[in-house]
């Protein structure tokens, strides 16, 4: 048995369709629903309703590419492996690094959101937690306590995590729906839209259900909340602010609840400001620990981070590393908004490899078992690449440049493990990963030179910037698929899966023989 097989045998495969949907939904509905309606309205006004629908369509398109990959390789930390299997160490590492940065920064972001909502409590000590832009020293201290809480919820067992998360997810779904309904009943001012309308277990079955179900449910909830927020804003507040962009609420939904006399709802929201972010923080603490395990097995971290506790099924050393990094993020980025921006852009970068990897592996490993295999994937994959590129561009300069720079910061770790290899061994990895390095550089340049509406210098005219990004997405998609190769990681996982399939077949045959013997007896 390989080391990888041994470590993965310690994981507990106990999550079925309901639990997986709860994990997916729980990771989507975190702190974002508490602030998202206000942030979206400040950018797009009433058009924010359409923005949520577009965002869900983009997310679903990209997520579908990962349902096939996830069903092919049902391994913990799978997101950090797919690029490695299709393109080798460089592309695999960049994708893993981006994904890890995106998700590990969610953890302090959720803690920050809880504390920021708490600052609206009618207590003098609570007001001192947040200064209007970021957490104060006492706010950071309280958020640190929440990080430790997330850590210990994951320390003991995956079954405890699943049971806790299922209960929290029910609460996270009920409260937003109740909030949207109550605000709509309390105040539904359609003139707000008129006044400001010009502002612009069985992976084959479980995974698709979980992905599509969680995204659709989340879309319904977010659209309902957006409508409720738009219609519940008092006309006086909107007139005083002058525009949606200048509205300012520390705790948007709770503040509106108090404005319309829904004190019970405000209290419920203050409670949920702990529960929803804590549920998501708990999920991402679990997810990142398994990502670190995956990165270690890719050969880019010390062996200790590949250890999984045999009793609990938890990769505890990886969990400790992520706690330390979460503390660092909290110390540097003290505001929910700044952390949310990093999460969004880094997530898009990490997801870019999915559309390329899924079609690359269809070419390189056509015989691998695919419990999920969409016939339309040859069409979905390039569309997903284009959507991801557009979202990255819409992330705005200089944020896109900053996050791409963070990608470069991780390269010394890759270099430490890879540049010591002989050139003949290293060369194909560099050649296969060149498309991703070039893609990030080109997208950074386009973001800088793009339209002023997206923070650029305005060298690309409006409309032409979008056309340029679409073409870039398609060109790099083709380059990425063509540059994939049968690297050692892919060959090794093929052997591992073949051995597992053979062992399963032998076990089934032995079971059938025993049953036949029992019948004869």
């Amino acid at each position: 048995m390989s080391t990888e097989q041994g470590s993965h045998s310690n994981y507990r495969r106990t999550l079925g369709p309901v639990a997986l949907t709860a994990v997916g939904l729980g990771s989507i509905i975190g702190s974002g629903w508490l602030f998202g309606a206000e942030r979206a309205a400040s950018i797009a006004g009433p058009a924010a309703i359409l923005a949520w629908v577009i965002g869900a369509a983009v997310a679903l398109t990209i997520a579908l590419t990962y349902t096939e990959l996830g069903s092919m390789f049902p391994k913990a930390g799978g997101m950090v492996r797919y690029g490695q299997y299709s393109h080798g160490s460089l592309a695999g590492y960049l994708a893993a690094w981006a994904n890890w940065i995106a998700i590990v920064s969610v953890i302090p972001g959720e803690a920050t959101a809880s504390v920021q909502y708490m600052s609206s409590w009618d207590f003098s000590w609570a007001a001192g937690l947040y200064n209007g832009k970021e957490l104060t020293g006492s706010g950071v201290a309280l958020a640190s306590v929440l990080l430790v809480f997330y850590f210990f919820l994951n320390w003991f067992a995956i079954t405890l995590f699943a049971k806790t998360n299922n209960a929290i997810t029910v609460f996270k779904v009920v409260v937003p729906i109740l909030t949207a309904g109550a605000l709509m009943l309390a105040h539904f001012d359609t003139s707000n839209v008129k006044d400001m309308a010009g502002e612009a277990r069985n992976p084959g079955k479980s995974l698709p259900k979980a992905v599509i179900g969680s995204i659709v449910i989340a879309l319904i909830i977010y659209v309902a909340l957006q409508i409720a927020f738009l219609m519940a804003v008092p006309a006086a507040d909107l007139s005083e602010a002058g525009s949606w962009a200048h509205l300012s609420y520390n705790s948007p939904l709770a503040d509106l609840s108090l404005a319309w006399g829904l004190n019970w709802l405000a209290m419920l929201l203050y409670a949920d400001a702990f529960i929803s972010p804590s549920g998501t923080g708990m999920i991402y603490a679990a997810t990142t620990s398994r990502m670190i395990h995956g990165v270690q097995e890719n050969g880019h971290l010390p062996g200790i981070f590949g250890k999984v506790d045999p009793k609990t099924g938890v990769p505890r050393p990886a969990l400790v590393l992520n706690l330390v990094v979460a503390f660092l993020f909290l110390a540097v980025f003290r505001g929910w908004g700044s952390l949310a921006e990093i999460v969004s852009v880094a997530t898009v970068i990490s997801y870019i490899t999915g559309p390329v990897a899924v079609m690359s592996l269809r070419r390189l490993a056509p015989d691998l078992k695919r419990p999920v295999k969409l016939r339309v994937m040859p069409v979905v994959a390039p569309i997903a690449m284009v959507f991801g590129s557009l979202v990255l561009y819409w992330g705005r300069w200089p944020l896109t440049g900053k996050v791409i720079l963070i990608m470069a910061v991780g390269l010394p770790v890759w270099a430490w493990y890879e540049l010591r290899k002989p050139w003949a061994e290293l060369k194909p990895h560099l050649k296969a990963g060149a498309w991703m390095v070039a893609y990030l550089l080109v997208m950074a340049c386009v973001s800088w030179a793009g339209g002023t509406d997206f923070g650029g210098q305005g060298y690309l005219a409006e409309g032409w910037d979008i056309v340029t990004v679409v073409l870039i997405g398609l060109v790099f998609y083709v380059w990425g698929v063509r540059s994939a190769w049968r690297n050692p990681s892919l060959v090794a996982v093929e052997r591992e899966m073949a051995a597992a399939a053979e062992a399963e077949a032998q076990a089934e045959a032995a079971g059938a023989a025993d049953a036949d013997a029992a019948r004869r007896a």
Side-chain angles (χ1 to χ4, degrees), residues 368-393:
L368 274 179
K369 183 180 179 182
R370 290 170 169 81
V372 176
K373 187 175 182 180
L374 300 179
R375 294 181 180 179
V376 295
M377 190 61 75
V379 176
V380 170
I383 291 175
M385 182 71 172
V386 168
F387 280 171
S389 300
L390 287 171
V391 173
L392 180 57
Y393 175 68

Side-chain angles (χ1 to χ4, degrees), residues 258-273:
L258 292 173
W260 299 113
L262 302 175
N263 293 349
W264 63 270
L265 180 59
M267 295 301 102
L268 186 61
L269 285 167
Y270 288 138
D272 192 64

Side-chain angles (χ1 to χ4, degrees), residues 196-212:
M196 298 291 177
E199 292 188 36
R201 266 180 208 95
N202 182 340
K205 295 180 179 179
S206 300
L207 286 176
K209 290 179 181 178
V211 169
I212 296 173

Side-chain angles (χ1 to χ4, degrees), residues 140-498:
V140 171
L142 183 55
S144 299
V145 173
L146 290 177
L147 292 182
V148 175
F149 173 67
Y150 305 159
F151 171 81
F152 278 111
L153 277 177
N154 278 279
W155 181 260
F156 296 104
I158 185 63
T159 52
L160 173 63
F161 160 81
K163 291 177 182 178
T164 305
N165 183 63
N166 286 348
I168 290 175
T169 299
V170 171
F171 193 82
K172 289 167 70 172
V173 171
V174 170
V175 174
I177 293 174
L178 184 61
T179 300
L183 286 177
M184 287 181 188
L185 290 173
H187 189 76
F188 199 81
D189 191 350
T190 57
S191 65
N192 286 348
V193 177
K194 296 176 182 176
D195 292 345
M196 298 291 177
E199 292 188 36
R201 266 180 208 95
N202 182 340
K205 295 180 179 179
S206 300
L207 286 176
K209 290 179 181 178
V211 169
I212 296 173
S214 59
I215 290 177
V216 170
I217 294 171
L219 171 63
I220 294 171
I221 291 172
Y222 277 110
V223 169
L225 285 167
Q226 188 66 63
I227 294 173
F229 176 84
L230 290 169
M231 305 307 176
V233 171
D237 288 2
L238 195 54
S239 298
E240 183 179 348
S243 70
W244 291 100
H246 294 94
L247 282 172
S248 179
Y249 297 111
N250 281 349
S251 308
L253 299 174
D255 291 346
L256 289 178
S257 299
L258 292 173
W260 299 113
L262 302 175
N263 293 349
W264 63 270
L265 180 59
M267 295 301 102
L268 186 61
L269 285 167
Y270 288 138
D272 192 64
F274 277 101
I275 295 173
S276 285
S278 294
T280 302
M282 180 181 67
I283 290 172
Y284 280 92
T287 304
T288 49
S289 65
R290 285 147 182 82
M291 285 183 172
I292 288 295
H293 183 189
V295 171
Q296 186 279 322
E297 289 182 340
N298 285 346
H300 299 134
L301 280 176
I304 188 174
F305 295 112
K307 293 184 177 180
V308 178
D309 183 73
K311 293 183 179 179
T312 62
V314 175
R316 286 179 167 176
L319 200 61
V320 173
L321 174 63
N322 285 316
L323 177 64
V324 173
V325 174
F327 278 133
L328 292 176
F329 268 96
L330 180 61
V332 176
F333 304 101
R334 298 184 171 196
W336 179 87
S338 57
L339 283 165
E341 289 176 344
I342 293 173
V343 169
S344 60
V345 175
T347 298
V348 172
I349 293 175
S350 67
Y351 285 173
I352 289 300
T353 55
V356 174
V358 69
M359 293 309 299
S360 296
L361 290 170
R362 283 196 177 188
R363 176 173 64 85
L364 297 174
D367 296 328
L368 274 179
K369 183 180 179 182
R370 290 170 169 81
V372 176
K373 187 175 182 180
L374 300 179
R375 294 181 180 179
V376 295
M377 190 61 75
V379 176
V380 170
I383 291 175
M385 182 71 172
V386 168
F387 280 171
S389 300
L390 287 171
V391 173
L392 180 57
Y393 175 68
W394 292 334
R396 297 178 60 84
W397 182 267
L399 177 61
T400 49
K402 290 178 179 178
V403 177
I404 289 173
L405 179 62
I406 292 176
M407 298 301 100
V409 170
L411 285 175
V413 177
W414 175 85
W416 173 260
Y417 287 96
E418 296 294 325
L419 294 186
R420 292 178 289 180
K421 295 179 179 179
W423 173 247
E425 182 180 344
L426 178 63
K427 182 180 177 180
H429 292 273
L430 294 174
K431 183 179 179 181
W435 73 271
M436 191 167 182
V437 175
Y439 173 82
L440 293 176
L441 293 175
V442 169
M443 285 301 300
C445 292
V446 170
S447 182
W448 172 82
T452 54
D453 288 343
F454 303 107
Q457 301 298 308
Y459 295 130
L460 290 174
E462 182 179 353
W464 286 108
D465 56 344
I466 302 300
V467 172
T468 300
V469 173
V470 169
L471 292 176
I472 288 172
L474 292 174
V475 167
F476 279 96
Y477 169 79
V478 173
W479 182 3
V481 172
R482 290 183 176 180
S483 65
W485 64 298
R486 288 186 56 79
N487 62 83
S489 294
L490 177 58
V491 173
V493 78
E494 283 180 322
R495 291 174 179 170
E496 179 185 328
M497 294 175 70

